[in-house]
Amino acid sequence: AQKVTQAQTEISVVEKEDVTLDCVYETRDTTYYLFWYKQPPSGELVFLIRRNSFDEQNEISGRYSWNFQKSTSSFNFTITASQVVDSAVYFCALSERRRGSTNAGKSTFGDGTTLTVKP
Amino acid sequence: DAGVIQSPRHEVTEMGQEVTLRCKPISGHNSLFWYRQTMMRGLELLIYFNNNVPIDDSGMPEDRFSAKMPNASFSTLKIQPSEPRDSAVYFCASSLSGLENDQPQHFGDGTRLSIL
């Protein structure tokens, strides 16, 4: 069975601090996909990034970076020089290799981490 | 391109009334998901469809909840009769499910439901 754990329920930082959001996953599949979503205070969930299980290269997009480590089953998200606009709930999600219609498009979401960035 | 469209954005109704939430997925997407989000329970998957067919409804809380997808461009989630504990934000999401499950889900803006 697949599982995603985001152990940090809430994190509070001061603007310009760096912050890392942890995501640990469990799966028996060798092929799987990991996602991060952002839910700002306005409420909508927005897709941020996807990684597949056979590509362990870290990715950087502006102030955002993602560290994927299969050895520790982790897919952590770091925000450098955080800003107030980064305040949101961040969800990590996992989808396994497709098995017909039984899991078509389905992802397992973590419980989310609420990040508050104070000015 | 239009995203996932949900209606209404807000719904306030009295206990016992029927509530119908609507969703139009992104054109071409073949998987559709209904989620419920509350402070207590977080984000819960209620039901999902693939090619208009319900695949897993194990997350539906009870028989008061039902969902349909009569065609590829429309789905409804109905609660009858509604109860105060159904108050939550309900999200619809869609994705393009191909040979692999590598596509993200695209979420609507949600329906904020309040049952008085």
Side-chain angles (χ1 to χ4, degrees):
Chain A
Q2 56 187 1
K3 184 179 180 181
V4 175
T5 301
Q6 295 181 255
Q8 304 151 308
T9 304
E10 297 182 7
I11 300 176
S12 182
V13 299
V14 177
E15 209 168 18
K16 297 185 182 177
E17 284 186 21
D18 298 347
V19 58
T20 295
L21 310 182
D22 296 334
C23 173
V24 174
Y25 60 91
E26 295 177 27
T27 177
R28 294 179 181 175
D29 276 1
T30 56
T31 300
Y32 51 89
Y33 304 90
L34 296 161
F35 307 85
W36 276 97
Y37 294 82
K38 175 182 180 180
Q39 185 178 34
S42 52
E44 72 277 14
L45 279 103
V46 178
F47 162 67
L48 293 178
I49 191 172
R50 174 193 70 200
R51 301 301 284 170
N52 58 51
S53 56
F54 39 91
D55 182 2
E56 286 194 72
Q57 278 193 335
N58 291 330
E59 183 151 343
I60 298 175
S61 176
R63 297 183 297 106
Y64 294 174
S65 62
W66 291 268
N67 184 352
F68 174 32
Q69 290 195 334
K70 288 180 75 171
S71 61
T72 56
S73 297
S74 64
F75 184 41
N76 296 337
F77 175 24
T78 297
I79 302 175
T80 303
S82 60
Q83 299 177 2
V84 172
V85 293
D86 296 325
S87 297
V89 181
Y90 291 87
F91 291 93
C92 181
L94 163 75
S95 66
E96 294 181 332
R97 175 176 51 86
R98 181 171 174 177
R99 289 181 285 278
S101 296
T102 59
N103 67 338
K106 183 182 178 183
S107 290
T108 296
F109 283 77
D111 290 336
T113 296
T114 300
L115 173 65
T116 302
V117 181
K118 299 178 181 177
Chain B
D1 288 342
V4 176
I5 299 173
Q6 291 187 246
S7 64
R9 290 295 308 277
H10 303 273
E11 175 89 13
V12 180
T13 191
E14 292 188 349
M15 183 175 70
Q17 297 296 307
E18 177 179 294
V19 173
T20 299
L21 310 182
R22 297 172 176 79
C23 176
K24 177 179 171 56
I26 292 174
S27 177
H29 282 191
N30 55 2
S31 288
L32 183 140
F33 308 84
W34 282 102
Y35 293 88
R36 178 173 69 176
Q37 187 176 38
T38 61
M39 291 292 292
M40 292 297 294
R41 299 190 175 194
L43 191 65
E44 302 174 274
L45 176 64
L46 301 178
I47 184 172
Y48 73 97
F49 296 82
N50 179 243
N51 293 325
N52 313 337
V53 175
I55 302 301
D56 185 356
D57 65 355
S58 60
M60 297 286 260
E62 46 195 278
D63 291 346
R64 297 185 297 106
F65 286 69
S66 62
K68 293 182 180 180
M69 191 165 186
N71 57 62
S73 58
F74 184 66
S75 177
T76 59
L77 178 67
K78 188 173 294 187
I79 308 172
Q80 167 65 18
S82 57
E83 296 182 4
R85 58 192 168 123
D86 302 329
S87 298
V89 179
Y90 290 80
F91 287 101
C92 177
S94 69
S95 72
L96 177 59
S97 179
L99 293 176
E100 294 293 335
N101 270 345
D102 61 345
Q103 295 301 304
Q105 295 182 14
H106 298 265
F107 287 78
D109 289 338
T111 293
R112 185 172 296 275
L113 178 64
S114 296
I115 308 297
L116 306 178

